[in-house]
Amino acid sequence: MLKSISLVILSFSLFATANAVANPLALFVEQCLQYQPKLTPLSQNASLSPAHQAVEFEKNTLALNNINDRIQYYRPFATDSLSKQGLLWCQLHLADELYMLTQATQTLALIDVLQTEPAPYKQLSERLLTVKQNQWDIEQKSKLHSAQASVNQALSQRQLQMQFNDEQCVLPQATPQTDTNNIDIHIAQYLIKQSNENCRKQAWFAYQTRAKHKIKSAISYIQQLQQQRALTLGYQNTAEYVLATHGLNADLLSQFLNDQTEQLDIAPWNIARALSQTAKPEAIEAVSAQAYLLQLLSKLAPLGLRFELLADKTTAEQQTNKQSADDAPTINIIRLWHKQRLLGELYTYPLAQDALSKRINAQLIKQSVIGHQFGQYSITYPKTLNSQKQQQKLIEALSQAIVSLAQGSQYYLLANKTQNRQQHAIANLWLSHFLRSTQHFAPMSTREQLALQYQTQMHAFRAKVALSFYQFTGEIDDAEWLNLNARLSAEFANSFGQPWPQATDVIYSYQAIANQGISDYLPLWQQALMQLITQQGNDRLSNLAVFDLLVINEAYLPIHDQLEQLIGAPIDPHSLIWRFKHAGTLQE
């Protein structure tokens, strides 16, 4: 791969030279492919104290992390194939550079010297060691990413057609569709319109295995690569290895997932019709998204947060020239403070009200790192919010941005979401809950409750499948794997009331089995933790104290210590699972 990078640099150098002004993305890709972090200051200054060594390491690696974050930010703007390919090569190049960085003698020496130091240096040493241990060999990593990309591409394919061998399953007349080539629209509309349950079942099963023949070898290869890595590290299988990093084992996870399972008694091929027959959520009066965002920000004052709205130069020029508001999106810059500390800036983009701009999206631009850089985050949304769901999506986006900007760490690896997924996720959920409590939302409609129950049960079932799949050590064509059909089919029936005879086929139906793998259970675990915190945390701490503990975390406490302060002992996995089940009861 490293040899290929030089060819890519050459092609993008030529492309960027010709299009640098018109296409800054090409210039970014060229600079990314040429970037190499250097740790020479650490080698040349052996007399530096551990604290100064940590600072030098941060200064010399921060650009690597910033470029990696910028790749994710630029991805939606890469519309042509060359730009998409360039960002992919850039990401692979940075992954190779990170691998070599973690193997460098300077990094290994820094890990050793910081081990005996107080916070935050000990935590930085532990995080560097974790990053190093999580690195794959460059060749193996390339094979894994290629297999994952094959799965993602095949399951993202929309240009498929529905065909039926049984004429009774063909709808009497074509259903009007906004996109006749989108299989997702085809299947959703078919499941609503078709009155014959057997036909709906056949269509749903066929949809789940639509990419089986394309991704079977890739799925099998991913499982083999993960299994080889687990064996190398001294574990019996992938599930045992990954769960050990979370303080769990297979039995505890099975117990947790069983506790999350409830009999919905509506099969997936019937859920679309069931939802269509329930009442829609009550309509709300449309509100300006920008005004709603500012109102949300004002609700954060009890947490020590304040904001100031800055005039964007581009917007001011547009107003001076009396341009129409529809000519370009209005970019607003919101500066965020926590007490006397500047956290960073929010860039908000209210978009034109059309089909492509109804989604609400939040994306990190630059991570806050105290003493090195202020953070930057972007949030895009439609000009008006027409439903409670959109309002709640904006709350989630704002919470995500604030948690990232407010992290009180002097080191990127201790602040960024990628290295702190558990703590970030719980902090996001808690802050979203806090903001929702300041709003007067109507109770969830019957349709919304049913949709949430269905999503939870599907997530729990898929997590059970992932556990079985990554415990399995043989070939997926073996009878041993296919013999799991009976047990997995029973698990499917426990949630949805009907069996899935070929339930092992679920591994070919969704991307998370290849990407998140066994960790796909984590959102359910984090939601359960958040419910405990909201039920019991405020009995022990004020909202301000919870925010300082969960989000700011200046003491660099691990999640274990945070939970002990929030909900009290015991907080070992076995006890937490018991507490999840009995939350809000007299037993708890």
Side-chain angles (χ1 to χ4, degrees):
M1 178 178 295
L2 296 177
K3 292 181 180 179
S4 303
I5 289 292
S6 61
L7 299 177
V8 178
I9 292 175
L10 176 60
S11 65
F12 270 92
S13 296
L14 297 173
F15 181 71
T17 302
N19 299 281
V21 176
N23 191 347
L25 185 57
L27 183 59
F28 166 77
V29 170
E30 181 194 11
Q31 293 171 340
C32 169
L33 293 174
Q34 293 178 344
Y35 172 75
Q36 289 182 317
K38 299 184 183 301
L39 297 178
T40 49
L42 288 176
S43 303
Q44 296 172 351
N45 298 280
S47 61
L48 288 176
S49 67
H52 281 88
Q53 290 184 51
V55 171
E56 283 296 324
F57 181 85
E58 184 72 15
K59 287 164 56 179
N60 288 277
T61 58
L62 189 55
L64 172 71
N65 296 313
N66 284 340
I67 294 172
N68 195 44
D69 289 334
R70 197 59 60 92
I71 292 174
Q72 305 306 321
Y73 174 72
Y74 279 141
R75 202 174 295 281
F77 304 106
T79 54
D80 60 276
S81 59
L82 185 57
S83 295
K84 292 177 181 179
Q85 186 180 28
L87 289 178
L88 176 60
W89 278 105
C90 179
Q91 188 172 16
L92 293 175
H93 170 63
L94 293 184
D96 292 345
E97 291 297 328
L98 178 62
Y99 173 81
M100 290 184 288
L101 185 70
T102 58
Q103 308 303 315
T105 56
Q106 299 96 321
T107 303
L108 301 179
L110 181 65
I111 291 173
D112 290 338
V113 77
L114 295 181
Q115 275 284 358
T116 56
E117 297 296 315
Y121 309 112
K122 179 177 176 61
Q123 286 86 340
L124 178 61
S125 171
E126 293 171 349
R127 187 57 48 78
L128 281 169
L129 184 60
T130 300
V131 172
K132 177 182 180 298
Q133 292 172 342
N134 288 340
Q135 292 300 302
W136 286 60
D137 172 79
I138 290 179
E139 183 178 352
Q140 294 292 93
K141 178 174 57 183
S142 177
K143 293 177 179 178
L144 176 66
H145 288 173
S146 296
Q148 290 172 331
S150 298
V151 173
N152 294 338
Q153 183 177 12
L155 288 173
S156 299
Q157 177 65 36
R158 298 290 179 262
Q159 308 300 315
L160 299 173
Q161 295 292 328
M162 295 174 59
Q163 295 181 346
F164 298 94
N165 295 326
D166 188 347
E167 292 185 359
Q168 294 182 349
C169 290
V170 179
L171 291 175
Q173 84 183 71
T175 304
Q177 297 167 10
T178 56
D179 184 350
T180 56
N181 291 322
N182 192 324
I183 187 61
D184 291 340
I185 295 176
H186 271 278
I187 191 68
Q189 292 185 342
Y190 181 84
L191 294 177
I192 292 174
K193 301 284 185 182
Q194 178 57 260
S195 59
N196 186 315
E197 181 178 358
N198 188 53
C199 292
R200 293 198 303 272
K201 181 190 292 189
Q202 292 180 43
W204 190 83
F205 282 146
Y207 178 73
Q208 301 309 305
T209 56
R210 66 195 182 280
K212 179 177 178 178
H213 67 287
K214 292 183 179 180
I215 67 173
K216 187 173 184 178
S217 59
I219 288 288
S220 177
Y221 194 46
I222 290 170
Q223 189 251 13
Q224 291 172 18
L225 287 173
Q226 298 278 15
Q227 173 67 14
Q228 291 170 9
R229 178 172 172 79
L231 290 174
T232 302
L233 294 173
Y235 296 90
Q236 294 183 0
N237 53 61
T238 306
E240 182 184 49
Y241 162 56
V242 176
L243 292 177
T245 64
H246 300 164
L248 288 171
N249 57 44
D251 290 339
L252 285 173
L253 180 55
S254 293
Q255 181 183 345
F256 169 72
L257 294 175
N258 288 335
D259 290 343
Q260 298 294 305
T261 301
E262 296 179 357
Q263 180 60 261
L264 185 60
D265 205 26
I266 300 177
W269 48 87
N270 294 330
I271 191 68
R273 285 178 66 86
L275 289 171
S276 69
Q277 293 166 5
T278 58
K280 293 182 179 180
E282 292 186 12
I284 66 167
E285 183 179 349
V287 297
S288 162
Q290 182 69 10
Y292 190 74
L293 178 66
L294 296 179
Q295 184 254 117
L296 290 174
L297 286 167
S298 69
K299 300 295 185 182
L300 295 169
L303 304 181
L305 291 166
R306 59 187 174 90
F307 70 95
E308 54 182 315
L309 185 61
L310 306 182
D312 179 62
K313 182 178 178 182
T314 305
T315 304
E317 289 176 352
Q318 291 173 0
Q319 293 174 348
T320 301
N321 297 330
K322 297 183 179 180
Q323 288 183 320
S324 167
D326 295 330
D327 289 345
T330 302
I331 303 173
N332 294 300
I333 304 174
I334 300 172
R335 186 167 287 169
L336 284 174
W337 299 78
H338 177 247
K339 300 176 181 177
Q340 301 304 313
R341 177 165 74 94
L342 175 62
L343 304 181
E345 294 173 338
L346 277 177
Y347 292 80
T348 64
Y349 302 83
L351 302 176
Q353 198 77 18
D354 56 45
L356 297 177
S357 64
K358 291 182 180 179
R359 293 185 179 180
I360 295 170
N361 184 52
Q363 183 61 55
L364 175 68
I365 302 175
K366 188 165 61 176
Q367 176 65 52
S368 296
V369 183
I370 294 178
H372 293 277
Q373 62 188 27
F374 300 115
Q376 293 178 334
Y377 225 95
S378 75
I379 302 180
T380 57
Y381 44 75
K383 285 187 176 181
T384 59
L385 304 177
N386 301 305
S387 67
Q388 282 191 174
K389 184 177 181 180
Q390 283 187 313
Q391 293 175 347
Q392 291 168 355
K393 288 290 185 182
L394 186 54
I395 286 175
E396 292 172 8
L398 178 61
S399 300
Q400 180 181 332
I402 289 174
V403 168
S404 179
L405 294 176
Q407 291 290 305
S409 177
Q410 304 167 37
Y411 301 98
Y412 179 96
L413 291 179
L414 298 180
N416 188 258
K417 173 182 177 180
T418 304
Q419 308 299 335
N420 304 272
R421 292 190 184 279
Q422 185 88 316
Q423 288 175 297
H424 264 257
I426 295 170
N428 285 340
L429 289 169
W430 178 85
L431 188 56
S432 294
H433 173 82
F434 171 83
L435 284 172
R436 283 197 302 272
S437 70
T438 67
Q439 306 301 299
H440 300 289
F441 289 130
M444 291 180 67
S445 67
T446 304
R447 176 177 293 188
E448 290 170 324
Q449 292 178 25
L450 180 57
L452 180 60
Q453 290 172 336
Y454 172 77
Q455 291 166 2
T456 301
Q457 291 312 301
M458 183 57 73
H459 201 154
F461 169 67
R462 286 175 170 175
K464 294 175 184 178
V465 173
L467 175 59
S468 297
F469 181 61
Y470 285 104
Q471 281 183 296
F472 183 67
T473 58
E475 299 286 340
I476 57 178
D477 280 328
D478 290 351
E480 186 181 356
W481 169 249
L482 298 178
N483 286 340
L484 292 177
N485 272 320
R487 181 166 65 81
L488 294 179
S489 178
E491 295 288 4
F492 185 81
N494 288 339
S495 287
F496 303 111
Q498 296 194 44
W500 183 349
Q502 305 299 323
T504 54
D505 279 348
V506 73
I507 63 174
Y508 308 115
S509 67
Y510 68 112
Q511 295 178 5
I513 193 74
N515 300 318
Q516 284 75 36
I518 188 68
S519 299
D520 194 36
Y521 80 93
L522 280 174
L524 294 173
W525 182 273
Q526 292 154 359
Q527 185 66 38
L529 268 178
M530 192 278 295
Q531 290 175 354
L532 264 186
I533 291 170
T534 55
Q535 289 172 357
Q536 301 177 13
N538 287 117
D539 294 337
R540 306 168 65 92
L541 299 171
S542 66
N543 284 325
L544 176 59
V546 174
F547 180 80
D548 287 343
L549 178 63
L550 268 184
V551 180
I552 303 297
N553 193 20
E554 289 185 359
Y556 299 94
L557 297 178
I559 185 65
H560 181 278
D561 293 350
Q562 289 176 315
L563 289 177
E564 191 165 24
Q565 291 191 35
L566 286 166
I567 60 176
I571 52 172
D572 60 279
H574 184 273
S575 298
L576 280 176
I577 292 170
W578 189 92
R579 296 178 71 176
F580 294 158
K581 184 175 182 178
H582 298 283
T585 65
L586 290 176
Q587 293 99 315
E588 169 58 14

